[in-house]
Every structure is written in C-alpha cells, then in structure tokens.
Amino acid sequence: TRLPAYAALACGDYEECRAIFRLYREALPLCQARAKLYYGAQGAYFPETMTLFGTYGNGDYGWNREGHKPNEVLCPWWCYAWQQGLELVTLMQDYYDDTGDQRFLKGELLPMAHKVLRYFDTRFARDSEGKLVISPTQAVETYWYGVTNDMPSVAGLHSALDRLLALPPAQARSAEREFWLRLKAATPPVPVRSQGSERWLLPAESFDPKRSNCENPELYAVWPFRLFGVGKADLQAGVEAFQRRGEKSMQGWSYDGQCAAILGLTEEARRQILYKVRNSNPSHRFPAMWGPNYDWLPDQDHGSNIMLTLQNMLLFANGDKIELLPAWPKEWNVSFKLHAARQTVVEGKVSNGRLTELKVTPASRRKDVVTDPASHWVK
C-alpha cells in the first residue's frame, strides 16, 4: 500500500500521499501502546501486514494464542521486521521536500519521525561503544536467523536522521536536534564488505545466509533509502551489490527495476521495464491488471514499480540536485513532466538520441539539473 504513494510523488499526485499519512496517523495510538506492551519501548512501530486499524492480521499474529505471550507474533516472515516506520518517514520527507508544506512538517512529519525514532532508541541495547545493537531482527522476508543490524533498519535510520539534521535550525526545536544527533551517533555503520578493490552492500552486519524468501535487503540502501546512487559517493558499492544480489526478480513488489535506474544501469533498467509492462494478465480486459505475481491480482505493487522504475530512469533526486536521464536508453524517444523537490517541475523531450527540449520551473532551479557533460543528453 505504500508503493502507490511513492510513485504518486513524481506525478504531483500529492493527495494520494495524504490519504496514507492519515491511515498511519490514526493507527499511531494503538501502535504506541503495542510497543510499550510487547517490548517496554517508547515510540511506535508499524507491522508490515497491518490492518486499517493498526493491528496485525489475525493470520499473521496467530489465531490460536494459547500458551503465547502478547509479543509472540507467529508469522516468521515479519515477526522481527522494524523498518516500516522508517519507510513511512522517508515518504513523508519526500512529500515535504516536494511541497514545502510547513504545516505538514510541524504537525505531521516531525511528530511521526519522533515516534518512529524513539522506538529504536528505547527498544534496543547499546554495545560498549554506544552503538545500537538491533537484535532480535530480520532482514525483511529473506533472512530470519542470526541477524544483527539489518540493512533496512540501519540504512533507514541513517537516511531519516541525515535528512532531519539537514533541516534549517529554525524548523526544529533544539531538543529534537539533540536527540537526532545522539541517535545518529548511536546508529551502526551501513553493512558493507570489502575484498581487494571491491566493496559491496550486505543484508546485515551479521546473519545466517539461509534464504527464506526472494527479497534483496541489501538494496534497501539504494531504494527506498537512496544512500547509494548516481551522483553519490561510493556508487560502485551499490552497483556491486546489485550485481551480486541473490534473487533477480522483475515482478510484484520486487524493487530491482528502480534500483537499476538509481544506480545508472541503463541496460538493466531497460530490461526490467520491458519485462514489467508485459506482465499484464491475459484473462482481464483492462491491461493494468498486472499479475498474478506473489500475492494477488490486480497487483498494485507491480504497477507502482513500473512507475517508479520509469520515473527513476528519467530523473533521480539527489538532495537538491536533479540527476537527469541517469538510465534512459538513447534509442527511446520520450516526453516527460516530473515533479521534484522545492516545488520544482522538470519537463523535457528526448528525440533521436538527443535531449531536444528542457524546461525547469522555477527557472532558478535549472542550475541544479545535472547531466553528464560528456553525454548526448547535454542541452
């Protein structure tokens, strides 16, 4: 349900985001109470498989609770996954960056971020150096055993905290900023392995390598948390992780397509998008009844990932910088209009391998649009 909202941002369909923010906001009191009851923690966490009321689905929580404590969630795919709140905060930060809505920042984003971050701050122990030890945990649905400091949680914490700390001082209270600085210092480093001249992202700091599902949690540092990508430091560690990923999937909720685009892997992004759009169900008259893939039909995740892959092939937001056409095949003609941070709209046209039109609104943001000076895209 989050994925359609992520895809809506670049289209300027902000009302779709407001609906999902309302859903989580209304579930917040229950989620706070659950964090306290289950784990003695402050703040809140949101289950991955959550009802409209904020509870686990009964099939995941377990219909037969005899002999089980309240905090025993009987679905092994999601019982120790914590990054969902961080994904929500990231989506809210993207919404704020695009709209500049100060009322939203003060009334919704900062309060929600505080609750999500307080959960990590009070839920997990520290090591001798004062770093969080995120355990018990899992690396999304794939790695269940022996996991410490899973990539989705660690990357999500770094991403959310870096963006909060980048806010101008007048937009946050000093006590909030002190909390962010303290938690940032306590967040463990992004899990990376080095071997000779090669570096690549890992699913977690430590984990049993037995796979239980098809996600690639190491790529959460590429998307949705965007710590690695075109125009960012250590791009090659993200590219190497993508090439080494354990599962190569192009359907349903798999996010390999937008990861390829964000990493500037044009040929892989092209292959992904062509496969995705051919995934229409032949039994349905309406072609956007994608699937069936992993779970259901029509598959809203698959359609959203088509949008996200396409959007990131055309435009990758790197802070205030706008990386233009980072993974667009030069043989493909396109006209596009996409929204970006600071109420910016980028319109362009590619024809016969050249960027023939480019309009940036407001015009003052044109200086922030980045293209490779050696490429055929420069206009």
Side-chain angles (χ1 to χ4, degrees), residues 2 6 21 24 44 46 83-97 104 108-117 120 156-157 159-161 163-164 225-226:
R2 292 188 298 274
Y6 274 112
F21 297 154
Y24 279 99
F46 299 95
Q83 85 283 344
Q84 295 84 351
L86 296 168
E87 290 187 61
L88 173 65
V89 170
T90 295
L91 178 62
M92 297 177 84
Q93 289 173 316
D94 289 349
Y95 176 94
Y96 170 69
D97 285 350
F104 173 79
E108 297 192 46
L109 169 53
L110 293 182
M112 180 63 77
H114 185 76
K115 298 298 184 185
V116 168
L117 295 172
F120 286 90
L157 283 167
S159 175
L161 287 163
R163 295 173 72 177
L164 289 169
F225 297 128
R226 305 194 301 275

Side-chain angles (χ1 to χ4, degrees), residues 264-275:
L265 303 175
T266 302
E267 290 307 309
E268 178 63 23
R270 179 215 304 261
R271 190 174 74 90
Q272 292 264 342
I273 198 74
L274 289 176
Y275 181 92

Side-chain angles (χ1 to χ4, degrees), residues 96 99-108 170-171:
Y96 170 69
T99 64
D101 186 338
Q102 294 298 313
R103 181 178 296 181
F104 173 79
L105 173 70
K106 304 268 186 184
E108 297 192 46
Q171 292 183 329

